[in-house]
Amino acid sequence: MKSHVITATPSDPDGILSTAGTEADLNKRFRPGLFLHDLWVLAKARVVSLLVFTAAVGEILAPNALIHWQSALAGLFGIALAGGAGGVLNQIVEPDLDQHMRRTLHRPLAEGRISRRGAIVYAALLMTAAIAILAWGTNPLTLILTLAGTVGYGVVYTLYLKPSTPWNIVWGGLAGALPPLIGWTAITGSIAALPVVLVLLVFVWTPAHFWPLAINCRRDYAKACIPMLPCTHGIDRTRKEVLNYAILTWVVSMIPAFLTGDWIYGGIAWLSGAWFVGMALRLKALPEGQEMDQYARSMFAYSISYLFLLYTALILGKLLLG
């Protein structure tokens, strides 16, 4: 991988654009489209989009959501900005680790296209905007929960849990599980059983979602000295835990059907959860090798669609059954 030296220039005194050489060379290499894409990647926009979606479901399920549409919009914008700040913080800490991972080695900080100082400024701007929007358009509880999620992921998970324990994704996943509750509180200003169950659903889904990817990328994690479960406890133990959490996710996914009486959601949750458990069973049964690695990657991809389907079913049930 080609290395980059972060150099300050008259047009870029902090080295934020971070390419080496003369100012003419810098201007030649700097492309606005690439820079905007790098900002998008730094904020982990694809991950944040799932957080915003689950928060939007929490808002839609909350009573009188249409009446409080301004708070709903403020909540979504605030969550998006705060989630982006958390993503930037994660990459500020890990550029050296990212260089050892095939799926992360081309990130802007890992390749030096954006400097760490520039990323810090970017994270601060995103977080400041998030706090301002949430303070203006929602309520103190929503702001506190959003800050807790951002600090939980960007600081607690990244700095302490990820490098120190193979169960990092279990406890670190709580930060990413909060958006449904945040969406609910943006509308109501209070906590209720249904959004708490939705938080629990994402919490138990996260290990079953992430550990198949960790199996697929286990060699990279070992090279980066990150204690992911497949590296510390082996593939068989990891596959057993994926199955355990897939079953637990299936069970928890049925609770909203009993709380709301929503049989449409209940049927979709039952069938999609059975498929998810079936995938975990097959992953557990496959012999170690390339086929298992490819299937683990497929299960990771399906798990995202699975969560999206569950939350879409909740909206469908709310719209059709009231």
Side-chain angles (χ1 to χ4, degrees):
M1 182 179 66
K2 184 179 179 180
S3 62
H4 298 266
V5 178
I6 298 172
T7 306
T9 70
S11 63
D12 184 25
D14 293 325
I16 291 176
L17 304 181
S18 68
T19 52
T22 65
E23 184 177 351
D25 187 45
L26 176 64
N27 291 332
K28 180 179 178 181
R29 296 185 185 185
F30 174 61
R31 291 180 291 167
L34 177 61
F35 183 67
L36 292 175
H37 178 265
D38 283 344
L39 295 181
W40 180 267
V41 172
L42 264 181
K44 293 192 173 182
R46 288 192 295 178
V47 175
V48 170
S49 66
L50 185 60
L51 301 181
V52 172
F53 173 69
T54 58
V57 174
E59 292 182 345
I60 292 170
L61 296 178
N64 302 317
L66 290 177
I67 296 175
H68 302 288
W69 63 270
Q70 290 177 311
S71 294
L73 289 177
L76 295 182
F77 276 112
I79 291 167
L81 292 167
V88 178
L89 288 173
N90 174 263
Q91 292 173 76
I92 287 171
V93 174
E94 298 183 337
D96 295 334
L97 295 179
D98 285 343
Q99 290 173 351
H100 291 89
M101 303 285 293
R102 287 171 294 173
R103 68 187 184 90
T104 61
L105 60 85
H106 296 301
R107 284 176 173 174
L109 280 171
E111 287 200 324
R113 294 193 303 275
I114 293 180
S115 71
R116 183 170 292 186
R117 181 182 298 180
I120 292 172
V121 171
Y122 182 37
L125 290 173
L126 289 174
M127 200 67 236
T128 300
I131 292 172
I133 290 173
L134 291 170
W136 168 78
T138 62
N139 51 70
L141 178 58
T142 301
L143 177 58
I144 290 171
L145 289 172
T146 304
L147 290 175
T150 304
V151 173
Y153 175 71
V155 178
V156 177
Y157 169 72
T158 303
L159 282 178
Y160 299 104
L161 293 175
K162 187 174 181 178
S164 62
T165 171
W167 306 102
N168 46 35
I169 198 63
V170 177
W171 302 112
L174 181 59
L178 289 175
L181 179 60
I182 295 172
W184 180 282
T185 62
I187 301 297
T188 67
S190 62
I191 296 175
L194 179 58
V196 170
V197 171
L198 297 183
V199 170
L200 179 62
L201 174 59
V202 179
F203 177 71
V204 298
W205 164 87
T206 299
H209 153 71
F210 184 80
W211 277 332
L213 177 65
I215 289 174
N216 181 267
C217 299
R218 62 190 180 279
R219 297 175 186 87
D220 287 343
Y221 282 119
K223 183 178 178 181
C225 298
I226 301 174
M228 289 298 177
L229 194 64
C231 303
T232 60
H233 289 67
I235 293 175
D236 285 343
R237 172 65 184 277
T238 305
R239 292 189 291 187
K240 290 178 183 177
E241 294 297 337
V242 169
L243 177 58
N244 290 339
Y245 276 94
I247 294 172
L248 189 56
T249 302
W250 190 20
V251 171
V252 174
S253 73
M254 297 305 301
I255 298 176
F258 293 102
L259 289 177
T260 63
D262 184 348
W263 57 269
I264 295 176
Y265 166 80
I268 293 174
W270 177 265
L271 292 174
S272 58
W275 187 274
F276 192 45
V277 171
M279 292 191 76
L281 284 168
R282 185 182 175 192
L283 178 64
K284 185 174 183 295
L286 284 172
E288 292 186 26
Q290 185 176 2
E291 182 182 2
M292 182 205 69
D293 288 345
Q294 292 175 345
Y295 192 78
R297 188 84 185 196
S298 297
M299 184 175 177
F300 167 76
Y302 170 77
S303 67
I304 300 173
S305 300
Y306 170 49
L307 187 68
F308 181 83
L309 178 62
L310 289 177
Y311 275 75
T312 301
L314 286 166
I315 298 174
L316 182 64
K318 175 71 178 290
L319 295 176
L320 295 180
L321 302 178

